[in-house]
Amino acid sequence: MTEKFMKNEQLNFIKKQIALIKDSQKKNVPQTVLAAVIDLANAKILDLFPNIPLEQQEMLDLSKLKTDKEYDQYIGHLSEFMLSFPTISEPQLKKMFPKHKKLKLPDLSNIDHSKLTYLSWNDLRSNKKFIVYGLDGKMAGIECEFTPASKKNFCSFCHCFGEVVYVSTVTKAKKAKNPDYYKSIGNLICADSSECNKKITNVEYLTTFLRESLGIEK
Ligand SMILES: [Zn+2]
């Protein structure tokens, strides 16, 4: 049995590569071009998993796949190797945000943890958006003020175009010479985090945003 090794954002990345291949197939590009698209997709996918055993490398190889059914089966097979988002209890979440006596919590029982890169929920009453992510092996949480955006835009986390909200958070970073210094960081991110979790293909910006908010040096 192969152990679980794939994160939600990595499976999303693979799905995106397959969508690109299918798109080239639909456009009837010359065979050599299609072969190049598939080669590149394969290389990019393997790049996501440095140092994996040969068995897993072979499993990830999509060069032999042709039909939609084969691609679906491939994704279905990979889905068996998903690493789950860590289970987190309501008391643990409350402890993460001690300032909120009546913290509104997400319905954890309703969330598929294998399809999560980050956990997020909104409290409409206080206009807060909470974001929880396993940063450097430890669960980290931040709260942001949020304002609905009037127009669709690109999300900073998943880089997709859609319904977004403007979030801002005050960083905990301090400047030695100026104790009153504070910096607010703002971003447009998907209004619906379950949609964002379906589209996010890397955690680069998410982790940068969290580090900056929490005042953690890289
Ligand atoms: Zn997003």
Side-chain angles (χ1 to χ4, degrees), residues 145-199:
E145 299 277 339
F146 84 87
T147 328
S150 53
K151 278 190 201 150
K152 286 186 175 183
N153 213 318
F154 288 94
C155 164
S156 303
F157 291 170
C158 68
H159 311 297
C160 293
F161 190 75
E163 301 281 347
V164 289
V165 287
Y166 178 78
V167 298
S168 67
T169 182
V170 172
T171 125
K172 292 196 171 67
K174 287 267 179 284
K175 277 196 175 163
K177 281 182 194 155
N178 181 1
D180 294 330
Y181 167 87
Y182 75 90
K183 185 178 139 203
S184 171
I185 358 175
N187 278 292
L188 289 167
I189 61 171
C190 284
D192 182 348
S193 66
S194 67
E195 282 304 309
C196 196
N197 270 293
K198 284 180 201 159
K199 297 185 288 198

Side-chain angles (χ1 to χ4, degrees), residues 16-199:
K16 201 173 163 186
Q17 296 303 315
I18 291 176
L20 289 174
I21 296 171
K22 284 185 178 176
D23 195 46
S24 300
Q25 285 172 335
K26 262 196 215 103
K27 284 180 186 150
N28 283 321
V29 297
Q31 278 307 312
T32 46
V33 175
L34 182 63
V37 171
I38 294 173
D39 269 357
L40 186 64
N42 233 350
K44 281 184 178 172
I45 291 169
L46 282 175
D47 267 359
L48 287 183
F49 306 92
N51 314 318
I52 53 166
L54 192 65
E55 188 194 348
Q56 287 172 0
Q57 286 179 29
E58 281 167 0
M59 192 168 77
L60 289 168
D61 183 357
L62 49 66
S63 60
K64 308 258 172 347
L65 310 179
K66 294 217 158 48
T67 63
D68 280 5
K69 196 180 162 201
E70 283 171 345
Y71 282 118
D72 289 348
Q73 282 169 344
Y74 168 84
I75 291 293
H77 184 60
L78 293 183
S79 304
E80 292 168 28
F81 300 93
M82 300 304 289
L83 291 164
S84 183
F85 189 82
T87 320
I88 188 158
S89 66
E90 291 192 354
Q92 281 171 314
L93 284 178
K94 282 184 181 157
K95 226 175 138 184
M96 253 180 204
F97 302 101
K99 272 199 291 174
H100 295 270
K101 293 277 176 289
K102 286 183 184 160
L103 180 70
K104 183 192 173 274
L105 292 166
D107 181 2
L108 292 167
S109 63
N110 243 336
I111 296 171
D112 182 348
H113 282 60
S114 70
K115 292 184 177 134
L116 275 192
T117 291
Y118 70 97
L119 174 67
S120 176
W121 69 100
N122 301 342
D123 183 356
L124 296 172
R125 237 178 4 190
S126 60
N127 269 331
K128 296 269 187 197
K129 187 171 187 73
F130 298 87
I131 298 172
V132 172
Y133 177 71
L135 194 63
D136 307 324
K138 212 179 144 224
M139 290 309 250
I142 57 165
E143 57 176 87
C144 311
E145 299 277 339
F146 84 87
T147 328
S150 53
K151 278 190 201 150
K152 286 186 175 183
N153 213 318
F154 288 94
C155 164
S156 303
F157 291 170
C158 68
H159 311 297
C160 293
F161 190 75
E163 301 281 347
V164 289
V165 287
Y166 178 78
V167 298
S168 67
T169 182
V170 172
T171 125
K172 292 196 171 67
K174 287 267 179 284
K175 277 196 175 163
K177 281 182 194 155
N178 181 1
D180 294 330
Y181 167 87
Y182 75 90
K183 185 178 139 203
S184 171
I185 358 175
N187 278 292
L188 289 167
I189 61 171
C190 284
D192 182 348
S193 66
S194 67
E195 282 304 309
C196 196
N197 270 293
K198 284 180 201 159
K199 297 185 288 198

